Amino acid sequence: MASVASPYGLKPVNELGGTPYAGATRSYLIDPAGTAANIYNGSPVYVNSSGYLAVATATGADATTNGFPVGTANTGIVGVFVGCSYVNAQGQVIYAQYYPTGTTGVINAYVVDDPGVVFQVQSAGTVTQAAVGANVFFSTGAVATGSTSTGNSTASVVAGASAVVTTAAFRVIGFASPVGDAFTDILVKINPGYHTYTNAVGL
């Protein structure tokens, strides 16, 4: 039961055809000079114009002023961040749930970048059966947030009443908690055009 708001970002569940998600990721580099923001497990990420991974901050509510990744040109996200590894000041290899801002050096980020993956995400309110087939997007102000204690994102999507039939980042395809829960856990896929690999616009 999802009776309490406890968002956790996007968690991979399976492939669109029903095949179980086997944990496949691709490695991307984060800028060796560091970035100005934490990147949490479950956060949407993109490849910037320098070729490095960064956290997306737009809601994906449309393909213009709220388009992925940062609310300008909708070039899409490359996937969802699920951890990273880097060498600390003591020369130890650290495998981390999240990327701490300001960390420098060679930083390998692990990303679920398959456009066909289905993700579980919590909504900011109730979602009913009527939302299946509609589109949802991230709640305003909650895209790049997270917990440094757990390392997890705290991003959620809008409640069912805000689901739209117009273009938006995610398609609702099912439920991971009972329909109508106060903060319903739903299953979504990234819509074409909102993922870098299904968007023909270059970086």
Side-chain angles (χ1 to χ4, degrees), residues 189-203:
K189 67 170 291 291
I190 302 171
N191 275 325
Y194 289 83
H195 193 294
T196 298
Y197 296 158
T198 61
N199 191 322
V201 179
L203 302 178

Side-chain angles (χ1 to χ4, degrees), residues 94-106:
I94 303 297
Y95 290 89
Q97 182 83 347
Y98 80 104
Y99 165 80
T101 180
T103 301
T104 59
V106 178

Side-chain angles (χ1 to χ4, degrees), residues 32-184:
T35 71
N38 294 332
I39 307 177
Y40 297 99
N41 189 299
S43 296
V45 285
Y46 71 103
V47 174
N48 64 24
S49 59
S50 297
Y52 294 115
L53 198 76
V55 65
T57 56
T59 64
D62 53 60
T64 53
T65 56
N66 294 294
F68 281 157
V70 295
T72 53
N74 185 60
T75 57
I77 56 172
V78 77
V80 175
F81 178 90
V82 291
C84 65
S85 62
Y86 55 89
V87 178
N88 68 8
Q90 290 73 43
Q92 302 164 315
V93 178
I94 303 297
Y95 290 89
Q97 182 83 347
Y98 80 104
Y99 165 80
T101 180
T103 301
T104 59
V106 178
I107 310 147
N108 289 296
Y110 306 110
V111 178
V112 179
D113 65 354
D114 181 350
V117 168
V118 173
F119 294 93
Q120 178 177 321
V121 64
Q122 189 172 82
S123 69
T126 299
V127 177
T128 67
Q129 188 68 30
V132 173
N135 292 332
V136 292
F137 46 93
F138 285 119
S139 302
T140 302
V143 182
T145 57
S147 166
T148 56
S149 297
T150 65
N152 291 331
S153 167
T154 52
S156 62
V157 294
V158 295
S162 298
V164 296
V165 296
T166 53
T167 180
F170 307 106
R171 179 69 51 85
V172 180
I173 63 170
F175 297 88
S177 71
V179 177
D181 271 1
F183 299 94
T184 317

